[in-house]
Coordinates of all heavy atoms in Angstrom, one line a residue:
T16 N -23.0 -8.1 -6.4 CA -22.8 -7.7 -7.8 C -21.3 -7.7 -8.0 O -20.5 -7.1 -7.3 CB -23.3 -6.3 -8.1 OG1 -24.8 -6.4 -7.9 CG2 -23.0 -5.8 -9.4
I17 N -20.9 -8.4 -9.1 CA -19.4 -8.5 -9.5 C -19.3 -7.7 -10.8 O -19.9 -8.2 -11.8 CB -19.0 -9.9 -9.6 CG1 -19.4 -10.8 -8.4 CG2 -17.5 -10.0 -9.9 CD1 -18.8 -10.3 -7.1
E18 N -18.6 -6.6 -10.8 CA -18.5 -5.8 -12.0 C -17.5 -6.4 -13.0 O -16.9 -7.5 -12.7 CB -18.1 -4.4 -11.7 CG -19.3 -3.7 -10.9 CD -19.0 -2.2 -10.6 OE1 -17.9 -1.8 -10.8 OE2 -20.0 -1.5 -10.3
D19 N -17.3 -5.8 -14.2 CA -16.5 -6.3 -15.3 C -15.0 -6.5 -14.8 O -14.5 -5.8 -14.0 CB -16.5 -5.3 -16.4 CG -17.8 -5.2 -17.1 OD1 -18.7 -5.9 -16.8 OD2 -18.0 -4.2 -17.9
D20 N -14.4 -7.5 -15.4 CA -12.9 -7.7 -15.3 C -12.4 -8.0 -13.9 O -11.3 -7.7 -13.6 CB -12.2 -6.5 -15.9 CG -12.6 -6.2 -17.3 OD1 -12.6 -7.1 -18.2 OD2 -12.9 -5.0 -17.6
V21 N -13.3 -8.7 -13.1 CA -12.9 -9.1 -11.8 C -12.4 -10.5 -11.8 O -12.9 -11.4 -12.5 CB -14.1 -8.9 -10.8 CG1 -13.8 -9.5 -9.5 CG2 -14.5 -7.4 -10.7
I22 N -11.4 -10.7 -10.9 CA -10.9 -12.1 -10.7 C -11.1 -12.4 -9.2 O -10.7 -11.6 -8.3 CB -9.4 -12.2 -11.0 CG1 -9.1 -11.9 -12.5 CG2 -8.9 -13.6 -10.7 CD1 -7.7 -11.9 -12.9
I23 N -11.7 -13.6 -8.9 CA -11.9 -14.0 -7.5 C -11.2 -15.4 -7.4 O -11.6 -16.3 -8.0 CB -13.4 -14.1 -7.2 CG1 -14.1 -12.7 -7.5 CG2 -13.6 -14.5 -5.7 CD1 -15.6 -12.7 -7.3
Y24 N -10.3 -15.4 -6.5 CA -9.5 -16.7 -6.3 C -10.2 -17.7 -5.3 O -11.2 -17.4 -4.7 CB -8.1 -16.3 -5.8 CG -7.2 -15.8 -7.0 CD1 -7.1 -14.4 -7.2 CD2 -6.6 -16.7 -7.9 CE1 -6.3 -14.0 -8.3 CE2 -5.9 -16.2 -8.9 CZ -5.7 -14.9 -9.1 OH -5.0 -14.4 -10.2
A25 N -9.5 -18.8 -5.2 CA -10.2 -20.0 -4.6 C -10.6 -19.8 -3.2 O -10.0 -19.1 -2.4 CB -9.2 -21.2 -4.7
N26 N -11.8 -20.4 -2.9 CA -12.4 -20.5 -1.5 C -12.7 -19.2 -0.9 O -12.8 -19.0 0.3 CB -11.4 -21.3 -0.6 CG -11.1 -22.7 -1.1 OD1 -12.0 -23.4 -1.5 ND2 -9.9 -23.1 -1.1
T27 N -13.0 -18.2 -1.8 CA -13.4 -16.9 -1.3 C -14.9 -16.8 -1.2 O -15.6 -17.3 -2.1 CB -12.8 -15.8 -2.1 OG1 -11.5 -15.5 -1.8 CG2 -13.6 -14.5 -2.0
T28 N -15.5 -16.2 -0.2 CA -16.9 -16.0 0.0 C -17.2 -14.5 0.0 O -16.7 -13.7 0.8 CB -17.3 -16.6 1.4 OG1 -17.1 -18.0 1.3 CG2 -18.8 -16.4 1.6
I29 N -18.2 -14.2 -0.8 CA -18.7 -12.8 -0.9 C -20.2 -12.8 -0.8 O -20.9 -13.5 -1.5 CB -18.3 -12.1 -2.3 CG1 -16.7 -12.2 -2.5 CG2 -18.8 -10.7 -2.4 CD1 -16.3 -11.7 -3.8
L30 N -20.7 -12.1 0.2 CA -22.1 -12.2 0.6 C -22.8 -10.8 0.6 O -22.1 -9.8 0.8 CB -22.2 -12.8 2.0 CG -21.5 -14.1 2.3 CD1 -21.7 -14.5 3.8 CD2 -22.0 -15.2 1.4
G31 N -24.1 -10.9 0.3 CA -24.9 -9.7 0.5 C -25.4 -9.0 -0.7 O -24.6 -8.8 -1.7
G32 N -26.6 -8.6 -0.8 CA -27.2 -8.0 -2.0 C -26.7 -6.6 -2.2 O -26.8 -6.1 -3.3
D33 N -26.2 -5.9 -1.2 CA -25.6 -4.6 -1.3 C -24.1 -4.6 -1.6 O -23.5 -3.5 -1.8 CB -25.9 -3.7 -0.1 CG -27.4 -3.5 0.1 OD1 -28.1 -3.4 -0.9 OD2 -27.8 -3.4 1.3
T34 N -23.5 -5.7 -1.6 CA -22.1 -5.8 -1.8 C -21.7 -5.8 -3.3 O -22.3 -6.5 -4.1 CB -21.5 -7.2 -1.2 OG1 -21.9 -7.3 0.2 CG2 -20.0 -7.3 -1.4
V35 N -20.8 -4.8 -3.6 CA -20.4 -4.6 -5.0 C -18.9 -4.7 -5.1 O -18.2 -4.0 -4.4 CB -20.9 -3.3 -5.6 CG1 -20.4 -3.0 -7.0 CG2 -22.4 -3.1 -5.5
I36 N -18.4 -5.6 -6.0 CA -17.0 -5.7 -6.2 C -16.7 -4.9 -7.5 O -17.1 -5.2 -8.6 CB -16.5 -7.2 -6.4 CG1 -17.0 -8.0 -5.2 CG2 -15.0 -7.3 -6.6 CD1 -16.5 -7.5 -3.8
G37 N -16.0 -3.8 -7.3 CA -15.8 -2.8 -8.4 C -15.0 -3.4 -9.5 O -14.2 -4.3 -9.4
R38 N -15.1 -2.8 -10.6 CA -14.5 -3.2 -11.9 C -13.0 -3.3 -11.8 O -12.3 -2.5 -11.2 CB -14.9 -2.2 -13.0 CG -14.2 -2.5 -14.3 CD -14.7 -1.6 -15.4 NE -14.2 -1.9 -16.7 CZ -14.8 -1.6 -17.8 NH1 -15.9 -1.0 -17.8 NH2 -14.3 -2.0 -19.0
G39 N -12.5 -4.4 -12.3 CA -11.0 -4.6 -12.4 C -10.4 -5.0 -11.0 O -9.2 -5.1 -10.9
S40 N -11.2 -5.4 -10.0 CA -10.7 -5.8 -8.7 C -10.2 -7.2 -8.8 O -10.6 -8.0 -9.6 CB -11.7 -5.6 -7.6 OG -12.1 -4.3 -7.4
V41 N -9.2 -7.5 -7.9 CA -8.7 -8.8 -7.7 C -9.0 -9.2 -6.2 O -8.4 -8.5 -5.3 CB -7.2 -9.0 -8.0 CG1 -6.7 -10.4 -7.8 CG2 -7.0 -8.6 -9.5
I42 N -9.7 -10.3 -6.0 CA -10.0 -10.7 -4.6 C -9.2 -12.0 -4.4 O -9.4 -13.0 -5.1 CB -11.5 -11.0 -4.4 CG1 -12.3 -9.8 -4.9 CG2 -11.7 -11.3 -3.0 CD1 -12.0 -8.5 -4.2
G43 N -8.3 -12.0 -3.5 CA -7.4 -13.2 -3.2 C -8.2 -14.4 -2.7 O -9.4 -14.3 -2.4
G44 N -7.5 -15.5 -2.5 CA -8.1 -16.7 -1.9 C -8.4 -16.6 -0.5 O -7.7 -15.9 0.3
N45 N -9.4 -17.4 0.0 CA -9.7 -17.5 1.4 C -10.2 -16.2 2.0 O -10.0 -16.0 3.2 CB -8.6 -18.2 2.2 CG -8.2 -19.5 1.7 OD1 -9.0 -20.5 1.7 ND2 -7.0 -19.7 1.2
I46 N -10.8 -15.4 1.2 CA -11.3 -14.1 1.7 C -12.7 -14.2 2.1 O -13.5 -14.9 1.4 CB -11.1 -13.0 0.7 CG1 -9.6 -12.8 0.3 CG2 -11.6 -11.6 1.2 CD1 -8.7 -12.3 1.3
W47 N -13.2 -13.5 3.1 CA -14.6 -13.4 3.5 C -15.0 -11.9 3.4 O -14.5 -11.1 4.2 CB -14.8 -13.9 4.9 CG -16.2 -13.9 5.4 CD1 -16.9 -12.8 5.9 CD2 -17.1 -15.0 5.5 NE1 -18.1 -13.2 6.2 CE2 -18.3 -14.5 6.0 CE3 -17.0 -16.3 5.1 CZ2 -19.4 -15.3 6.2 CZ3 -18.1 -17.1 5.3 CH2 -19.3 -16.6 5.9
L48 N -15.9 -11.6 2.5 CA -16.3 -10.2 2.2 C -17.8 -10.0 2.4 O -18.5 -10.8 1.8 CB -15.9 -9.8 0.8 CG -14.5 -9.2 0.6 CD1 -14.3 -8.8 -0.9 CD2 -14.3 -7.9 1.5
T49 N -18.2 -9.0 3.1 CA -19.6 -8.7 3.2 C -19.8 -7.2 3.0 O -20.8 -6.6 3.3 CB -20.2 -9.0 4.6 OG1 -19.4 -8.4 5.6 CG2 -20.1 -10.5 4.8
E50 N -18.8 -6.5 2.4 CA -18.9 -5.1 2.1 C -18.3 -4.9 0.7 O -17.5 -5.6 0.2 CB -18.2 -4.3 3.2 CG -16.7 -4.6 3.3 CD -16.1 -4.0 4.5 OE1 -16.8 -3.6 5.5 OE2 -14.8 -3.7 4.5
S51 N -18.7 -3.7 0.1 CA -18.2 -3.4 -1.2 C -16.8 -3.0 -1.2 O -16.2 -2.5 -0.2 CB -19.1 -2.3 -1.8 OG -20.4 -2.7 -1.8
V52 N -16.1 -3.2 -2.4 CA -14.8 -2.6 -2.6 C -14.8 -1.8 -3.9 O -15.5 -2.1 -4.9 CB -13.7 -3.8 -2.7 CG1 -13.7 -4.6 -1.5 CG2 -14.0 -4.7 -3.9
E53 N -14.0 -0.8 -3.9 CA -14.0 0.1 -5.1 C -13.3 -0.5 -6.3 O -12.6 -1.5 -6.2 CB -13.2 1.4 -4.7 CG -13.9 2.2 -3.6 CD -13.1 3.5 -3.3 OE1 -12.0 3.7 -3.9 OE2 -13.6 4.3 -2.5
A54 N -13.5 0.1 -7.5 CA -12.9 -0.4 -8.7 C -11.4 -0.5 -8.6 O -10.8 0.4 -7.9 CB -13.3 0.5 -9.9
G55 N -10.8 -1.5 -9.1 CA -9.3 -1.6 -9.1 C -8.7 -2.0 -7.8 O -7.5 -1.9 -7.6
T56 N -9.5 -2.5 -6.9 CA -9.0 -2.8 -5.5 C -8.4 -4.2 -5.6 O -8.9 -5.1 -6.2 CB -10.1 -2.8 -4.5 OG1 -10.7 -1.4 -4.5 CG2 -9.6 -3.1 -3.1
R57 N -7.3 -4.4 -4.8 CA -6.8 -5.8 -4.6 C -7.0 -6.1 -3.1 O -6.6 -5.4 -2.2 CB -5.3 -5.8 -4.9 CG -5.0 -5.6 -6.4 CD -3.5 -5.6 -6.6 NE -2.8 -6.8 -6.3 CZ -2.7 -7.8 -7.1 NH1 -3.1 -7.7 -8.4 NH2 -2.0 -8.9 -6.8

C-alpha cells in the first residue's frame, strides 16, 4: 500500500501485502523494501 503524496525513485522494489509506505514519504532509487515505513520518512 502506497499512501498519498509518496515519491518512489527509479529501480526501487517494494514487496509484500503488509508493507505500507506512509503518507508523504520519499523512497530513493535502488532500494529494496519489505517492511513498512512511517509517514514522512525518507
Side-chain angles (χ1 to χ4, degrees):
T16 295
I17 312 298
E18 294 185 345
D19 296 350
D20 304 311
V21 169
I22 300 174
I23 304 174
Y24 284 96
N26 300 317
T27 282
T28 296
I29 302 175
L30 305 178
D33 295 328
T34 303
V35 178
I36 305 303
R38 178 172 185 156
S40 293
V41 176
I42 311 300
N45 299 300
I46 302 291
W47 180 281
L48 271 180
T49 58
E50 58 188 26
S51 299
V52 299
E53 296 180 357
T56 301
R57 294 174 64 88

